[in-house]
Amino acid sequence: MAYGPRFPFNEIAFMLLICAPDLISGQLRYSILEEKEEGAFVGNIAQDLGLNVRQLSARKFRLSSDDGGRYMKVSLDNGILSIRERIDRERICRQAEMCTVSFKTTLENPLEVYRGVVEILDVNDNPPTFGNGSIVLQTSEASAPGVRFRLERAEDPDIGINTVVAYTISFTEYFSIKTHRTESDVLIPELLLDKSLDRELLSSFQLLLTATDGGTPQRTGTAQILVTVLDFNDNAPVFDDDIYRVSVSEDAPHGTLVLKVKANDLDEGLNAEIAYSFSDVDLRRARHLFSLDPYSGEVRVEGPLDFEEANSYSLAVQAVDHGSPAMAGHSNVLIKVIDVNDNAPEIKVTSASNKIPENAPPGTFITFFDVIDRDSGENGQISCELPKNIPFSLQTSSNHYKLITSATLDRETISEFKLPILARDLGSPSLTSNKTIHITITDVNDNAPRFAESTYNVYVMENNAPGASIFVLTALDPDLEQNSYVSYSLVDNFIQNLPVSTYLAINSMNGTIYALRSFDYEELKNFQINVQARDAGVPPLSSSATVNVIILDQNDNAPVIVSPSEQSGSAEVLRRSAGQGYLVTKIMATDEDSGQNARLFYQMVKSTDPTLFTVTKNSGEIRTARSILQTDISVHTLVILVKDNGQPSLSSTVTMNISVLENSTEGITESSTLVKNSGYLSDPNVYLIIIFSCTSVVFLLIIVLLIGIKCKQDRSIIQGYNTPSYCYNRGDSQGTFNGRPAMEETLRYPGTGRVVRVPEPHQYSVCLSPESAKSDFLFLKPCGAPTSQAQ
Ligand SMILES: *[C@@H]1O[C@H](CO)[C@@H](O)[C@H](O)[C@H]1NC(C)=O
Ligand SMILES: *[C@@H]1O[C@H](CO)[C@@H](O)[C@H](O)[C@H]1NC(C)=O
Ligand SMILES: *[C@@H]1O[C@H](CO)[C@@H](O)[C@H](O)[C@H]1NC(C)=O
């Protein structure tokens, strides 16, 4: 038997014919299709071996062999080999190309053994099968077209043409099937990627793979191909918005949620896991103010916002996925900060203390100030107020203020202002602030010194001590400092022809008035002076007051008894017939003082017969107390005391003689003479001498004056104007000398207070040279005396 290449069925039959003679080798060969039913004819052994059919049973024709005997049998009747049991070629031979079942036939008498084989021919009785009904494939969506995936091939136990000859898949534009044969002639299917995948479009494919064999009828097997497209990070996260716009109040507290950004990533898994962050590195400040949660995308307030610093923020945000490489998406968050009235106005004063003179007219500029509010809109609009009822007002242009005076000022009323300036914005609630501006009103000399009264009465007791202060005048000046320094002076005036300065002096600093001389009430009862008070301002202001100096009487004069006169003597006569109450005489007395000091009382202090005469206390009348008796003496001597009512009182006495006449009218007896009290001259001759002397002196004086007038006329011609003759009035020994010239024609005798008009030619004057006026010593000479050195 030759094992050659595979032959078609017809060739096998032909071989049997040509091999039949090859009986010597005992080789029989048959072929039969598998899966033949029982009893199917395989071959006629008897015929092929040339055996006699009738001898078969005699010679115990039999089939012996393990598998041959199992699948086939021989018939003793006709020697035909047939199928005993259905033969499955694949079971016996698996995939072997040549599948044979060998057998052995035995004949006895003589023993003959023939061998043979039955070739089992394949029938397409098996479909292609895939080991696992489904094929799972995974591929990245990034795989490029042209990639091949090796597929599991289908098994077909048949052989030859009955095995798999082609693969196909269900239609898809992404994949196609390519096959190739291995060296061992096995058809290998491969899946070819025709088009780029996109997981986001199609994440998996289910394809039906069909394997087809070449038998007739054709048989097929299928399997599911499950292609899972794996994600590739080909999609960046994308934010919902290109720009997020949001507003937040500037007073939003820490942690306030501003907004939530959201990005989507079409990828999956890590490729779709997103972390948010700020992408702008420059905006350090903004990043301190806002936080961005990397997971939730929440933007929150992190730091204190200030509209005045920045009213909006633009934050660049990014979303980065966790793919490898990672991809990022970008967006912007525009945060608008809303102004809140969180800034109070601020008052900026250039100078907080200002000085302005009190005579500044209304409208005088004082100072500038600015008011600033860092808020905007209404929150930054400002109104500025001053207190009411003050002499100041504001002028404004935008937020620039000018403080000016609006009325006249008076430092003496208000010397200083502390102006609270209140600035208020129009926000709601509005905020305020205030600042105080100090304004000092400086003094202007607008007030003259003022005396409390316009007229003062000053009472001075006569006989005052020269140089003593008699009064203090005070004038007040409400101005300040120099403008209020008051000095006092006496206004030039003449009192009894003498300058006021000879009477009084005033302390210019404190207004104390001093009497320069001792006043005599009996000469000068009162006088008026004007005192001026003047301040030291520029220009100075002054005012004056009148001072009435009233000299008070002092009991410094004793009563003077006029009648009966001392000189003429007084002898009263009284008729003896005079009855009771007869007015003998009346004592006449005067007192230079006044008032009580001049009120006189009369009193009899001595009498030769106290019972005869009485004196009335008030009037000084001397009357008889009783009728005169024949027994009474004829001459009576009375001593009358006259006293004034001063304190202490002063008194004088007079002694008078009263002669009682017998009822005749004879003259005055020589004995009734008035006798002056001791101390007074009593000799009438002395009086006569005195009267004569006085007359002579007056006559002499007239002569002297006549000569003086002549001398004055001569001297005027010689001297001209420059050296006038000073004529000083001169009092008696009591007169004070004041060293001041008095060119008057009227002489005033200070000692008497009486004014005596003297005809000019008869002026009683003394000459004084200017040089000698400076010294206390005066040369008193009759004018025109040849010894005068004045010229
Ligand atoms: C295919 O085989 C795999 C193991 O290779 C198994 O896990 C799977 O369950 C099988 N599928 C079917 C449908 O039998
Ligand atoms: C001015 O400001 C002070 C504090 O600076 C405050 O006490 C006062 O009340 C304010 N005055 C007004 C009128 O607002
Ligand atoms: C006025 O000044 C004088 C001199 O300084 C002084 O002696 C006198 O006491 C003062 N008078 C008053 C009222 O101050």
Side-chain angles (χ1 to χ4, degrees):
M1 281 291 294
Y3 292 89
R6 215 165 143 245
F7 291 106
F9 180 72
N10 292 338
E11 286 178 44
I12 294 172
F14 173 74
M15 266 186 64
L16 282 174
L17 292 178
I18 61 164
C19 286
D22 188 18
L23 291 175
I24 296 137
S25 60
Q27 279 287 359
L28 289 171
R29 191 176 185 92
Y30 302 103
S31 60
I32 187 168
L33 294 172
E34 59 172 336
E35 307 286 342
K36 283 290 185 186
E37 65 283 11
E38 187 185 338
F41 172 82
V42 177
N44 194 341
I45 297 174
Q47 188 183 341
D48 292 339
L49 290 177
L51 298 174
N52 186 345
V53 176
R54 278 161 291 189
Q55 292 174 348
L56 288 178
S57 56
R59 293 186 66 185
K60 296 184 180 165
F61 182 64
R62 63 179 187 271
L63 196 63
S64 66
S65 121
D66 298 334
D67 43 358
R70 183 176 159 196
Y71 296 112
M72 285 168 289
K73 60 185 181 187
V74 287
S75 168
L76 288 175
D77 296 332
N78 50 18
I80 285 175
L81 185 66
S82 63
I83 297 296
R84 177 198 284 268
E85 190 187 309
R86 198 178 60 85
I87 297 170
D88 184 0
R89 193 194 79 93
E90 285 76 25
R91 201 163 60 92
I92 299 168
C93 304
R94 304 198 168 272
Q95 293 292 106
E97 266 189 34
M98 181 62 73
C99 179
T100 57
V101 173
S102 57
F103 63 90
K104 196 165 73 179
T105 54
T106 309
L107 288 169
E108 293 177 4
N109 298 324
L111 180 67
E112 289 176 62
V113 175
Y114 300 97
R115 297 181 183 273
V117 290
V118 176
E119 184 184 3
I120 312 297
L121 297 175
D122 186 41
V123 165
N124 193 17
D125 58 348
N126 287 294
T129 56
F130 292 93
N132 191 326
S134 68
I135 300 166
V136 174
L137 285 179
Q138 286 186 334
T139 178
S140 163
E141 62 177 322
S143 304
V147 170
R148 293 169 183 240
F149 305 93
R150 178 79 177 263
L151 295 177
E152 178 190 353
R153 62 187 173 89
E155 295 287 339
D156 192 333
D158 296 327
I159 58 167
I161 194 103
N162 291 333
T163 63
V164 177
V165 293
Y167 290 95
T168 57
I169 53 165
S170 51
F171 175 77
T172 165
E173 54 183 322
Y174 290 97
F175 294 103
S176 61
I177 285 287
K178 282 279 183 283
T179 54
H180 71 273
R181 288 197 178 272
T182 59
E183 285 187 10
S184 53
D185 204 27
V186 176
L187 195 64
I188 301 295
E190 283 176 339
L191 193 62
L192 174 69
L193 180 65
D194 289 331
K195 187 180 169 187
S196 294
L197 292 169
D198 185 0
R199 188 200 66 81
E200 287 72 37
L201 211 57
L202 267 176
S203 62
S204 67
F205 296 87
Q206 276 205 340
L207 305 174
L208 188 64
L209 177 65
T210 307
T212 312
D213 62 20
T216 306
Q218 222 170 22
R219 287 178 182 271
T220 60
T222 60
Q224 293 279 350
I225 303 176
L226 191 67
V227 182
T228 305
V229 183
L230 295 180
D231 187 46
F232 179 76
N233 195 20
D234 57 348
N235 284 285
V238 176
F239 280 98
D240 294 347
D241 265 324
D242 283 344
I243 294 183
Y244 293 90
R245 291 173 203 274
V246 70
S247 302
V248 64
S249 169
E250 66 173 320
D251 62 352
H254 176 94
T256 303
L257 178 64
V258 179
L259 86 160
K260 192 167 172 177
V261 293
K262 177 97 182 75
N264 282 309
D265 192 321
L266 294 175
D267 295 324
E268 62 176 8
L270 284 177
N271 294 337
E273 266 182 28
I274 291 171
Y276 299 96
S277 61
F278 291 118
S279 58
D280 236 330
V281 264
D282 302 331
L283 284 172
R284 292 238 170 77
R285 174 79 187 130
R287 297 175 69 182
H288 283 120
L289 296 177
F290 297 99
S291 66
L292 176 56
D293 187 288
Y295 301 107
S296 65
E298 287 174 343
V299 177
R300 290 179 185 275
V301 175
E302 180 78 12
L305 299 179
D306 188 358
F307 174 85
E308 289 70 34
E309 201 173 292
N311 58 12
S312 70
Y313 295 94
S314 173
L315 304 175
V317 291
Q318 65 181 5
V320 181
D321 61 29
H322 288 101
S324 175
M327 293 197 79
H330 298 272
S331 180
N332 277 296
V333 177
L334 207 63
I335 300 176
K336 211 172 141 190
V337 180
I338 300 169
D339 189 35
V340 165
N341 195 17
D342 57 349
N343 287 288
E346 204 179 325
I347 302 173
K348 293 200 164 170
V349 179
T350 27
S351 74
S353 70
N354 303 275
K355 287 186 174 167
I356 182 166
E358 57 180 323
N359 63 352
T364 303
F365 166 80
I366 298 170
T367 187
F368 284 121
F369 63 90
D370 293 312
V371 183
I372 296 160
D373 194 308
R374 296 177 62 228
D375 292 322
S376 64
E378 290 224 318
N379 295 338
Q381 280 181 24
I382 297 156
S383 76
C384 222
E385 294 168 23
L386 278 182
K388 303 266 180 291
N389 303 325
I390 54 161
F392 302 99
S393 63
L394 290 177
Q395 285 185 346
T396 173
S397 68
S398 65
N399 287 335
H400 197 58
Y401 289 87
K402 202 163 122 183
L403 181 64
I404 58 169
T405 61
S406 63
T408 52
L409 303 170
D410 185 16
R411 189 203 64 81
E412 286 73 34
T413 315
I414 304 176
S415 65
E416 194 187 7
F417 289 91
K418 289 178 179 173
L419 293 189
I421 293 174
L422 181 68
R424 171 193 307 278
D425 62 28
L426 304 183
S428 151
S430 80
L431 295 175
T432 63
S433 70
N434 65 54
K435 198 137 208 170
T436 302
I437 293 185
H438 290 257
I439 299 173
T440 307
I441 312 295
T442 57
D443 190 43
V444 166
N445 193 20
D446 56 353
N447 284 286
R450 272 200 297 271
F451 287 101
E453 323 214 341
S454 61
T455 308
Y456 294 88
N457 290 327
V458 177
Y459 298 90
V460 184
M461 190 63 80
E462 63 175 330
N463 301 319
N464 55 302
S469 73
I470 59 169
F471 194 62
V472 178
L473 265 184
T474 306
L476 295 176
D477 191 321
D479 289 326
L480 263 191
E481 297 179 347
Q482 189 166 325
N483 295 337
S484 71
Y485 295 156
V486 179
S487 65
Y488 303 88
S489 62
L490 296 175
V491 177
D492 276 348
N493 194 10
F494 287 92
I495 300 164
Q496 293 187 335
N497 283 341
L498 288 177
V500 68
S501 53
T502 62
Y503 289 81
L504 300 174
I506 191 163
N507 183 316
S508 67
M509 302 303 290
N510 61 20
T512 306
I513 299 177
Y514 302 93
L516 292 180
R517 61 170 70 183
S518 182
F519 298 118
D520 184 355
Y521 172 82
E522 287 69 34
E523 279 177 31
L524 181 61
K525 292 196 165 43
N526 62 66
F527 58 91
Q528 213 174 51
I529 60 166
N530 284 316
V531 176
Q532 188 187 56
R534 157 198 284 253
D535 62 29
V538 180
L541 294 174
S542 63
S543 66
S544 60
T546 304
V547 179
N548 286 319
V549 180
I550 298 159
I551 297 157
L552 296 177
D553 186 41
Q554 219 176 25
N555 196 20
D556 57 348
N557 288 287
V560 174
I561 294 160
V562 178
S563 160
S565 158
E566 297 165 18
Q567 287 89 354
S568 59
S570 176
E572 298 295 330
V573 289
L574 178 66
R575 289 177 189 281
R576 197 171 282 272
S577 58
Q580 180 189 356
Y582 178 81
L583 176 63
V584 180
T585 187
K586 187 173 191 296
I587 307 282
M588 305 283 281
T590 60
D591 193 316
E592 296 226 324
D593 296 323
S594 63
Q596 293 295 325
N597 293 338
R599 191 172 165 200
L600 300 180
F601 296 109
Y602 305 86
Q603 193 183 349
M604 195 174 313
V605 292
K606 200 172 164 192
S607 170
T608 42
D609 186 350
T611 63
L612 190 54
F613 300 102
T614 60
V615 61
T616 50
K617 191 184 179 193
N618 292 321
S619 61
E621 291 170 346
I622 297 171
R623 291 173 186 271
T624 53
R626 59 176 171 84
S627 310
I628 303 164
L629 303 175
Q630 289 299 325
T631 56
D632 287 336
I633 57 170
S634 58
V635 176
H636 295 270
T637 302
L638 304 180
V639 177
I640 308 294
L641 175 77
V642 181
K643 74 171 181 185
D644 60 28
N645 201 26
Q647 201 62 256
S649 73
L650 296 174
S651 62
S652 301
T653 56
V654 66
T655 305
M656 64 189 300
N657 291 328
I658 298 173
S659 311
V660 177
L661 275 187
E662 299 304 322
N663 289 330
S664 71
T665 54
E666 287 172 27
I668 302 160
T669 62
E670 287 195 7
S671 62
S672 74
T673 49
L674 182 135
V675 180
K676 199 82 161 72
N677 209 5
S678 62
Y680 285 94
L681 290 174
S682 55
D683 189 352
N685 294 333
V686 175
Y687 284 100
L688 284 173
I689 293 165
I690 290 170
I691 291 166
F692 180 76
S693 302
C694 285
T695 314
S696 306
V697 166
V698 169
F699 182 73
L700 197 68
L701 275 172
I702 291 168
I703 293 169
V704 168
L705 283 170
L706 287 171
I707 296 167
I709 289 161
K710 178 89 167 66
C711 122
K712 189 177 180 185
Q713 284 167 350
D714 295 347
R715 198 181 54 201
S716 309
I717 296 162
I718 299 163
Q719 289 176 199
Y721 308 111
N722 294 331
T723 52
S725 166
Y726 292 102
C727 294
Y728 277 77
N729 65 35
R730 199 70 184 103
D732 56 8
S733 60
Q734 295 286 328
T736 51
F737 180 74
N738 53 43
R740 295 285 295 269
M743 293 182 70
E744 288 186 13
E745 291 170 4
T746 305
L747 286 180
R748 185 178 285 260
Y749 291 86
T752 63
R754 282 171 291 151
V755 174
V756 178
R757 282 265 169 198
V758 181
E760 194 174 349
H762 308 289
Q763 191 171 13
Y764 169 69
S765 58
V766 293
C767 291
L768 172 63
S769 68
E771 291 82 8
S772 63
K774 291 167 183 162
S775 74
D776 285 341
F777 186 76
L778 293 174
F779 295 94
L780 297 172
K781 322 176 183 68
C783 292
T787 56
S788 173
Q789 300 297 316
Q791 281 72 37

